[in-house]
Structure formats: C-alpha cells, structure tokens
Amino acid sequence: MGGSFAAALRRRNLATSITGYDVDPAVGARGVRMGLLDAAAPDCEQAARQADLVVLAAPVGAMPGLLSEIAGALGPTAIATDLGSTKVDVVSAARRALGPAFARFVPAHPIAGGEQPGLERADPNLFEGCTVVIAPTSETRADVAARVEQLWRSCGAHVVRMDADEHDRMLASVSHLPHVLAFALVAHIAGQPDAQRKLALAGPGFRDSTRIAASSPAMWRDIALANRDAIGQELRALIAVLQRVDQALSAGDPRILQELFELASRARRQMDGRGDGA
C-alpha cells in the first residue's frame, strides 16, 4: 500500500521528493532502485524530519510505536496521516503520542489493495476509483483535512468522511469479517487429514472466496484484535445465520435455504450493478 501511494504521487507529480523507511533496510534500498523513493532513511524519525507530509503505511499494531517515534520529528506545519484498516485505535494512539501536532493528524483508510505485499506489486493506479475514508476528529484542523482529501482526489480516489467508530463498525462487516472467515475456512480444511486431496479439487468458487486468506497473517491478526468488539458482534450475528442454515439442512427445509440464497444473490448482483434480472 505504501509503495503504491508513493508510485501514485510520483506518477502524478504530487511530490518533489519522497523519503521512505522500512524495518528491513533492503526494502528501502530497493524502493530507491525502483524509482519509488528518492532516499531511504535509517529510521522513521529521520524519514519524518523536514517532511511536509508523513504517511504511516504499516500494520495497525505498529502504529503506536511509529507515532511515538515521529512525534519529535514533525515540523511545525507538517501533516501526518495513516493508511490503517482500523481507526479508533489509531486515533487514540495518535492523540496520546502527538500532543499539539494531533490537530495535524488526518486518519485515513484507502479501501484498496490486494493480498500480496511487496514493492514489486506497487501500482500507481491502485487508487483510481477506490474509496478512501477520512475520519477527522473534532480536533483535526479543517484546512489540514481538506489538503489530505485533495491529495487523495488527485490520486483518483473517491473520498468519504465518517467518524472512527462508524468506520470500524462498517468495515467490520465488509472487510474484517470476510478476512476472518477466509482464514478460518482454509485453516479448517488445512487441518484435516485429507486436506491436500480436498485442496487439489478446489475450483474457482473456493479460490475466489478464499483469495484473501493469502494475506499477511500478522497484519490481519493486528486488525482483528484492534477491532475485536465490532468483529465479534458481526461474527456472532453470522453464527446465528449459519445455525439457521444448519437447522434447515437438518430438517430438509428448502424454503429457508431458498429465501436466504435469494437474498444473498440479489444483494450480490446489485453490488455489480446487474440488478435482479441478471
């Protein structure tokens, strides 16, 4: 995600100089060789020093530490933002770490990207047409939030504002829960004695529905824990639906299955703009 953001800024001439930092120095050096970065810093504090904009593109579990490290390096007019998939925890960490500079921190979440990490997959057009949620607080300076929004629009994104609580509740349904389910389904099969035979027979349906299980386990562990209350509520509600399915199967009741499958099929077709008649 960070590499794609750097590539998008570079492609659109939105930055005069880009300095990056990664816990693995080889990644920063590779970013310079690829032309994504002008320089690679030895630590995040050095990367943030003298920057006009500091973008934290890291797992949400790493955000508190990163925010503490950059706090003393932020200039008096520097803006900070993040690309994290949860917002309540990141906002709380930023408020604790940044002090007066918290007014220049803009929580953000681009709803984009794939399951495979790495600079080699950086895509300058990744954010074209995607939704970016901006979650400013009452303390966020209006002009600073507007500048970050405009930057995302310049990268081709559609910007939506919502508060951090609403963001986490919404994303628990349509992002976090699907990842938990994909991991759980593949782990369920992988733990069986005949897992390899079953997986060898997996077709496009299984591959499509579990693609995201190839995502970073550490990153999604942090997301799940950070948003555990909202994900837990969604998971318990889904378990209730699965129990209805189990009861319908046990009773041989086609009516409940038909109603449930029709509701899901109709909603999924409407997502693609195909309507009920597709």
Side-chain angles (χ1 to χ4, degrees), residues 108-197:
H109 177 203
I111 303 174
E115 72 279 6
Q116 297 297 330
L119 290 181
E120 292 75 16
R121 296 176 178 83
D123 180 2
N125 297 314
L126 178 65
F127 309 109
E128 287 282 351
C130 88
T131 296
V132 175
V133 175
I134 301 292
T137 72
S138 59
E139 299 142 274
T140 308
R141 279 175 36 182
D143 62 318
V144 169
R147 287 181 64 185
V148 172
E149 287 183 342
Q150 184 54 51
L151 185 63
W152 280 114
R153 291 192 184 98
S154 297
C155 291
H158 170 62
V159 176
V160 174
R161 282 199 183 200
M162 61 178 64
D163 65 36
D165 287 314
E166 182 183 19
H167 168 276
D168 286 5
R169 181 172 60 83
M170 294 288 187
L171 270 294
S173 292
V174 296
S175 176
H176 306 164
L177 180 64
H179 278 81
V180 169
L181 295 179
F183 282 122
L185 176 57
V186 177
H188 163 66
I189 295 174
Q192 297 176 6
D194 56 351
Q196 292 307 312
R197 292 187 64 199

Side-chain angles (χ1 to χ4, degrees), residues 6-238:
L9 297 180
R10 182 77 80 200
R11 172 72 62 85
R12 294 160 180 81
N13 296 315
L14 295 172
T16 57
S17 179
I18 303 175
T19 298
Y21 163 72
D22 192 275
V23 291
D24 181 357
V27 174
R30 191 158 66 248
V32 174
R33 290 197 303 272
M34 294 172 62
L36 292 174
L37 303 175
D38 295 290
D43 56 58
C44 61
E45 183 178 355
Q46 289 296 318
R49 201 172 297 280
Q50 298 185 348
D52 297 313
L53 175 69
V54 177
V55 181
L56 301 178
V60 292
M63 290 292 184
L66 290 174
L67 286 160
S68 295
E69 290 181 49
I70 69 167
L74 289 175
T77 61
I79 296 171
T81 188
D82 77 300
L83 310 183
S85 296
T86 56
K87 295 274 71 78
V88 171
D89 59 317
V90 173
V91 168
S92 179
R95 182 179 282 111
R96 290 193 305 268
L98 298 182
F102 180 66
R104 290 179 276 115
F105 177 74
V106 182
H109 177 203
I111 303 174
E115 72 279 6
Q116 297 297 330
L119 290 181
E120 292 75 16
R121 296 176 178 83
D123 180 2
N125 297 314
L126 178 65
F127 309 109
E128 287 282 351
C130 88
T131 296
V132 175
V133 175
I134 301 292
T137 72
S138 59
E139 299 142 274
T140 308
R141 279 175 36 182
D143 62 318
V144 169
R147 287 181 64 185
V148 172
E149 287 183 342
Q150 184 54 51
L151 185 63
W152 280 114
R153 291 192 184 98
S154 297
C155 291
H158 170 62
V159 176
V160 174
R161 282 199 183 200
M162 61 178 64
D163 65 36
D165 287 314
E166 182 183 19
H167 168 276
D168 286 5
R169 181 172 60 83
M170 294 288 187
L171 270 294
S173 292
V174 296
S175 176
H176 306 164
L177 180 64
H179 278 81
V180 169
L181 295 179
F183 282 122
L185 176 57
V186 177
H188 163 66
I189 295 174
Q192 297 176 6
D194 56 351
Q196 292 307 312
R197 292 187 64 199
K198 288 180 175 177
L199 293 174
L201 295 172
F206 181 84
R207 293 177 184 277
D208 289 348
S209 61
T210 61
R211 173 186 59 80
I212 53 179
S215 302
S216 165
M219 182 182 78
W220 280 98
R221 173 204 63 202
D222 288 353
I223 291 170
L225 290 173
N227 202 22
R228 58 185 176 273
D229 290 341
I231 295 172
Q233 290 179 5
E234 292 293 332
L235 190 56
R236 288 186 289 274
L238 178 61

Side-chain angles (χ1 to χ4, degrees), residues 253-272:
D253 185 346
R255 179 184 58 82
I256 292 177
L257 295 178
Q258 183 74 18
E259 289 177 356
L260 184 67
F261 293 174
E262 283 184 352
L263 173 62
S265 180
R266 185 165 58 249
R268 187 61 183 85
R269 291 197 307 268
Q270 288 173 347
M271 281 180 62
D272 293 333

